[in-house]
PDB file of all heavy atoms in Angstrom:
ATOM      1  N   LYS A 169       3.470 -14.376  -6.095  1.00 90.00           N
ATOM      2  CA  LYS A 169       2.646 -13.999  -7.231  1.00 90.00           C
ATOM      3  C   LYS A 169       1.937 -15.329  -7.748  1.00 90.00           C
ATOM      4  O   LYS A 169       0.836 -15.337  -8.231  1.00 90.00           O
ATOM      5  CB  LYS A 169       3.318 -13.257  -8.296  1.00 90.00           C
ATOM      6  CG  LYS A 169       3.985 -11.993  -7.803  1.00 90.00           C
ATOM      7  CD  LYS A 169       3.305 -10.792  -8.267  1.00 90.00           C
ATOM      8  CE  LYS A 169       4.024  -9.468  -8.016  1.00 90.00           C
ATOM      9  NZ  LYS A 169       3.249  -8.353  -7.592  1.00 90.00           N
ATOM     10  N   ALA A 184      -5.470 -11.252 -15.135  1.00 96.00           N
ATOM     11  CA  ALA A 184      -4.724 -11.422 -16.482  1.00 96.00           C
ATOM     12  C   ALA A 184      -4.465 -12.922 -16.728  1.00 96.00           C
ATOM     13  O   ALA A 184      -4.006 -13.646 -15.667  1.00 96.00           O
ATOM     14  CB  ALA A 184      -3.618 -10.508 -16.631  1.00 96.00           C
ATOM     15  N   VAL A 207       3.810  -8.652 -19.502  1.00 95.00           N
ATOM     16  CA  VAL A 207       4.220  -8.222 -18.194  1.00 95.00           C
ATOM     17  C   VAL A 207       5.027  -9.409 -17.526  1.00 95.00           C
ATOM     18  O   VAL A 207       4.549 -10.514 -17.462  1.00 95.00           O
ATOM     19  CB  VAL A 207       3.099  -7.685 -17.276  1.00 95.00           C
ATOM     20  CG1 VAL A 207       3.559  -7.334 -15.836  1.00 95.00           C
ATOM     21  CG2 VAL A 207       2.393  -6.608 -17.970  1.00 95.00           C
ATOM     22  N   LYS A 209       6.793 -10.790 -14.066  1.00 91.00           N
ATOM     23  CA  LYS A 209       6.818 -10.498 -12.526  1.00 91.00           C
ATOM     24  C   LYS A 209       7.576 -11.519 -11.824  1.00 91.00           C
ATOM     25  O   LYS A 209       7.418 -12.732 -11.934  1.00 91.00           O
ATOM     26  CB  LYS A 209       5.367 -10.563 -12.007  1.00 91.00           C
ATOM     27  CG  LYS A 209       4.354  -9.532 -12.688  1.00 91.00           C
ATOM     28  CD  LYS A 209       3.023  -9.589 -11.982  1.00 91.00           C
ATOM     29  CE  LYS A 209       2.256  -8.419 -12.550  1.00 91.00           C
ATOM     30  NZ  LYS A 209       0.958  -8.250 -11.903  1.00 91.00           N
ATOM     31  N   VAL A 219       8.424  -6.097 -11.065  1.00 88.00           N
ATOM     32  CA  VAL A 219       7.386  -6.163 -12.117  1.00 88.00           C
ATOM     33  C   VAL A 219       8.011  -5.283 -13.285  1.00 88.00           C
ATOM     34  O   VAL A 219       8.408  -4.172 -13.092  1.00 88.00           O
ATOM     35  CB  VAL A 219       6.137  -5.519 -11.739  1.00 88.00           C
ATOM     36  CG1 VAL A 219       5.129  -5.429 -12.953  1.00 88.00           C
ATOM     37  CG2 VAL A 219       5.495  -6.361 -10.662  1.00 88.00           C
ATOM     38  N   VAL A 221       6.878  -4.026 -16.986  1.00 91.00           N
ATOM     39  CA  VAL A 221       5.753  -3.924 -18.034  1.00 91.00           C
ATOM     40  C   VAL A 221       6.601  -3.750 -19.340  1.00 91.00           C
ATOM     41  O   VAL A 221       7.065  -2.681 -19.572  1.00 91.00           O
ATOM     42  CB  VAL A 221       4.843  -2.784 -17.687  1.00 91.00           C
ATOM     43  CG1 VAL A 221       3.854  -2.648 -18.734  1.00 91.00           C
ATOM     44  CG2 VAL A 221       4.235  -2.970 -16.293  1.00 91.00           C
ATOM     45  N   GLU A 251       2.567 -12.395 -17.605  1.00 97.00           N
ATOM     46  CA  GLU A 251       1.070 -12.289 -17.811  1.00 97.00           C
ATOM     47  C   GLU A 251       0.776 -11.229 -18.890  1.00 97.00           C
ATOM     48  O   GLU A 251       1.539 -10.335 -19.188  1.00 97.00           O
ATOM     49  CB  GLU A 251       0.399 -12.012 -16.471  1.00 97.00           C
ATOM     50  CG  GLU A 251       0.606 -10.630 -15.872  1.00 97.00           C
ATOM     51  CD  GLU A 251      -0.186 -10.450 -14.577  1.00 97.00           C
ATOM     52  OE1 GLU A 251      -0.497 -11.403 -13.924  1.00 97.00           O
ATOM     53  OE2 GLU A 251      -0.506  -9.344 -14.363  1.00 97.00           O
ATOM     54  N   GLU A 252      -0.449 -11.498 -19.283  1.00 96.00           N
ATOM     55  CA  GLU A 252      -1.075 -10.651 -20.294  1.00 96.00           C
ATOM     56  C   GLU A 252      -1.060  -9.191 -19.850  1.00 96.00           C
ATOM     57  O   GLU A 252      -1.251  -8.918 -18.646  1.00 96.00           O
ATOM     58  CB  GLU A 252      -2.589 -11.114 -20.372  1.00 96.00           C
ATOM     59  CG  GLU A 252      -3.539 -10.399 -21.179  1.00 96.00           C
ATOM     60  CD  GLU A 252      -4.990 -10.891 -20.908  1.00 96.00           C
ATOM     61  OE1 GLU A 252      -5.182 -11.675 -19.929  1.00 96.00           O
ATOM     62  OE2 GLU A 252      -5.848 -10.351 -21.426  1.00 96.00           O
ATOM     63  N   TYR A 253      -0.780  -8.278 -20.762  1.00 96.00           N
ATOM     64  CA  TYR A 253      -0.851  -6.880 -20.496  1.00 96.00           C
ATOM     65  C   TYR A 253      -2.344  -6.346 -20.489  1.00 96.00           C
ATOM     66  O   TYR A 253      -3.086  -6.690 -21.325  1.00 96.00           O
ATOM     67  CB  TYR A 253       0.032  -6.073 -21.556  1.00 96.00           C
ATOM     68  CG  TYR A 253      -0.070  -4.629 -21.515  1.00 96.00           C
ATOM     69  CD1 TYR A 253       0.650  -3.805 -20.672  1.00 96.00           C
ATOM     70  CD2 TYR A 253      -1.158  -3.945 -22.344  1.00 96.00           C
ATOM     71  CE1 TYR A 253       0.578  -2.579 -20.551  1.00 96.00           C
ATOM     72  CE2 TYR A 253      -1.179  -2.543 -22.251  1.00 96.00           C
ATOM     73  CZ  TYR A 253      -0.356  -1.761 -21.322  1.00 96.00           C
ATOM     74  OH  TYR A 253      -0.430  -0.405 -21.255  1.00 96.00           O
ATOM     75  N   LEU A 254      -2.608  -5.617 -19.386  1.00 95.00           N
ATOM     76  CA  LEU A 254      -3.895  -5.173 -19.321  1.00 95.00           C
ATOM     77  C   LEU A 254      -3.962  -3.619 -19.487  1.00 95.00           C
ATOM     78  O   LEU A 254      -3.134  -2.941 -18.903  1.00 95.00           O
ATOM     79  CB  LEU A 254      -4.549  -5.460 -17.982  1.00 95.00           C
ATOM     80  CG  LEU A 254      -4.682  -6.996 -17.613  1.00 95.00           C
ATOM     81  CD1 LEU A 254      -5.111  -7.070 -16.208  1.00 95.00           C
ATOM     82  CD2 LEU A 254      -5.606  -7.733 -18.523  1.00 95.00           C
ATOM     83  N   ASP A 255      -4.999  -3.129 -20.139  1.00 93.00           N
ATOM     84  CA  ASP A 255      -5.077  -1.757 -20.374  1.00 93.00           C
ATOM     85  C   ASP A 255      -6.255  -1.220 -19.641  1.00 93.00           C
ATOM     86  O   ASP A 255      -7.258  -1.881 -19.257  1.00 93.00           O
ATOM     87  CB  ASP A 255      -5.383  -1.418 -21.895  1.00 93.00           C
ATOM     88  CG  ASP A 255      -4.968  -0.125 -22.366  1.00 93.00           C
ATOM     89  OD1 ASP A 255      -4.136   0.466 -21.596  1.00 93.00           O
ATOM     90  OD2 ASP A 255      -5.275   0.135 -23.555  1.00 93.00           O
ATOM     91  N   GLU A 258      -5.950   2.123 -13.222  1.00 94.00           N
ATOM     92  CA  GLU A 258      -5.751   1.407 -11.974  1.00 94.00           C
ATOM     93  C   GLU A 258      -6.509   2.164 -10.681  1.00 94.00           C
ATOM     94  O   GLU A 258      -6.461   3.350 -10.656  1.00 94.00           O
ATOM     95  CB  GLU A 258      -4.280   1.335 -11.556  1.00 94.00           C
ATOM     96  CG  GLU A 258      -3.454   0.414 -12.503  1.00 94.00           C
ATOM     97  CD  GLU A 258      -1.957   0.250 -12.064  1.00 94.00           C
ATOM     98  OE1 GLU A 258      -1.772  -0.142 -10.882  1.00 94.00           O
ATOM     99  OE2 GLU A 258      -1.161   0.615 -12.963  1.00 94.00           O
ATOM    100  N   LYS A 280       2.525   5.759  -9.556  1.00 92.00           N
ATOM    101  CA  LYS A 280       3.684   4.875  -9.293  1.00 92.00           C
ATOM    102  C   LYS A 280       4.845   5.370  -9.922  1.00 92.00           C
ATOM    103  O   LYS A 280       6.039   5.073  -9.593  1.00 92.00           O
ATOM    104  CB  LYS A 280       3.393   3.449  -9.818  1.00 92.00           C
ATOM    105  CG  LYS A 280       2.442   2.635  -8.969  1.00 92.00           C
ATOM    106  CD  LYS A 280       2.783   1.332  -8.738  1.00 92.00           C
ATOM    107  CE  LYS A 280       1.952   0.595  -7.606  1.00 92.00           C
ATOM    108  NZ  LYS A 280       0.647   0.352  -7.983  1.00 92.00           N
ATOM    109  N   ASN A 290       9.364   3.179 -12.174  1.00 86.00           N
ATOM    110  CA  ASN A 290       8.412   2.932 -11.118  1.00 86.00           C
ATOM    111  C   ASN A 290       8.905   3.184  -9.699  1.00 86.00           C
ATOM    112  O   ASN A 290      10.139   3.029  -9.506  1.00 86.00           O
ATOM    113  CB  ASN A 290       8.058   1.399 -11.128  1.00 86.00           C
ATOM    114  CG  ASN A 290       6.759   1.205 -11.744  1.00 86.00           C
ATOM    115  OD1 ASN A 290       5.762   1.936 -11.484  1.00 86.00           O
ATOM    116  ND2 ASN A 290       6.673   0.255 -12.699  1.00 86.00           N
ATOM    117  N   MET A 339      -7.374  -3.231 -12.257  1.00 97.00           N
ATOM    118  CA  MET A 339      -7.352  -2.578 -13.464  1.00 97.00           C
ATOM    119  C   MET A 339      -8.797  -2.505 -14.009  1.00 97.00           C
ATOM    120  O   MET A 339      -9.416  -3.536 -14.244  1.00 97.00           O
ATOM    121  CB  MET A 339      -6.322  -3.345 -14.536  1.00 97.00           C
ATOM    122  CG  MET A 339      -6.210  -2.643 -15.739  1.00 97.00           C
ATOM    123  SD  MET A 339      -5.201  -1.011 -15.543  1.00 97.00           S
ATOM    124  CE  MET A 339      -3.515  -1.630 -15.849  1.00 97.00           C
ATOM    125  N   LEU A 349      -4.662  -6.797 -10.580  1.00 96.00           N
ATOM    126  CA  LEU A 349      -3.288  -6.786 -10.955  1.00 96.00           C
ATOM    127  C   LEU A 349      -2.472  -7.575  -9.911  1.00 96.00           C
ATOM    128  O   LEU A 349      -1.425  -8.122 -10.202  1.00 96.00           O
ATOM    129  CB  LEU A 349      -2.818  -5.413 -11.041  1.00 96.00           C
ATOM    130  CG  LEU A 349      -3.303  -4.621 -12.162  1.00 96.00           C
ATOM    131  CD1 LEU A 349      -2.844  -3.157 -12.095  1.00 96.00           C
ATOM    132  CD2 LEU A 349      -2.861  -5.133 -13.547  1.00 96.00           C
ATOM    133  N   GLU A 350      -2.986  -7.409  -8.692  1.00 95.00           N
ATOM    134  CA  GLU A 350      -2.192  -7.972  -7.582  1.00 95.00           C
ATOM    135  C   GLU A 350      -3.038  -7.821  -6.311  1.00 95.00           C
ATOM    136  O   GLU A 350      -3.983  -7.090  -6.249  1.00 95.00           O
ATOM    137  CB  GLU A 350      -0.795  -7.120  -7.414  1.00 95.00           C
ATOM    138  CG  GLU A 350      -1.002  -5.670  -7.012  1.00 95.00           C
ATOM    139  CD  GLU A 350       0.036  -4.899  -6.469  1.00 95.00           C
ATOM    140  OE1 GLU A 350       1.070  -5.515  -6.059  1.00 95.00           O
ATOM    141  OE2 GLU A 350      -0.102  -3.668  -6.356  1.00 95.00           O
TER     142      GLU A 350
HETATM  143  P1  AMP B 146       2.133  -5.163  -9.152  1.00 73.11           P
HETATM  144  O1  AMP B 146       3.253  -5.109  -8.273  1.00 73.11           O
HETATM  145  O2  AMP B 146       1.651  -6.424  -9.751  1.00 73.11           O
HETATM  146  O3  AMP B 146       0.965  -4.206  -8.896  1.00 73.11           O
HETATM  147  O4  AMP B 146       2.650  -4.266 -10.558  1.00 73.11           O
HETATM  148  C1  AMP B 146       3.056  -3.069 -10.407  1.00 73.11           C
HETATM  149  C2  AMP B 146       2.617  -2.172 -11.530  1.00 73.11           C
HETATM  150  O5  AMP B 146       2.767  -2.793 -12.737  1.00 73.11           O
HETATM  151  C3  AMP B 146       1.080  -2.108 -11.469  1.00 73.11           C
HETATM  152  O6  AMP B 146       0.677  -1.119 -10.465  1.00 73.11           O
HETATM  153  C4  AMP B 146       0.663  -1.749 -12.842  1.00 73.11           C
HETATM  154  O7  AMP B 146       0.928  -0.325 -13.050  1.00 73.11           O
HETATM  155  C5  AMP B 146       1.721  -2.534 -13.697  1.00 73.11           C
HETATM  156  N1  AMP B 146       1.123  -3.829 -14.088  1.00 73.11           N
HETATM  157  C6  AMP B 146       1.159  -5.082 -13.358  1.00 73.11           C
HETATM  158  N2  AMP B 146       0.478  -5.971 -13.908  1.00 73.11           N
HETATM  159  C7  AMP B 146       0.065  -5.490 -15.097  1.00 73.11           C
HETATM  160  C8  AMP B 146      -0.667  -5.927 -16.251  1.00 73.11           C
HETATM  161  N3  AMP B 146      -1.029  -7.314 -16.332  1.00 73.11           N
HETATM  162  N4  AMP B 146      -0.824  -5.202 -17.272  1.00 73.11           N
HETATM  163  C9  AMP B 146      -0.457  -3.915 -17.172  1.00 73.11           C
HETATM  164  N5  AMP B 146       0.247  -3.381 -16.168  1.00 73.11           N
HETATM  165  C10 AMP B 146       0.489  -4.083 -15.212  1.00 73.11           C
END
Side-chain angles (χ1 to χ4, degrees):
K169 299 253 186 216
V207 183
K209 300 185 172 185
V219 176
V221 179
E251 75 175 27
E252 172 197 4
Y253 172 84
L254 300 176
D255 207 9
E258 289 183 57
K280 290 220 164 75
N290 254 315
M339 186 68 94
L349 290 175
E350 60 166 345

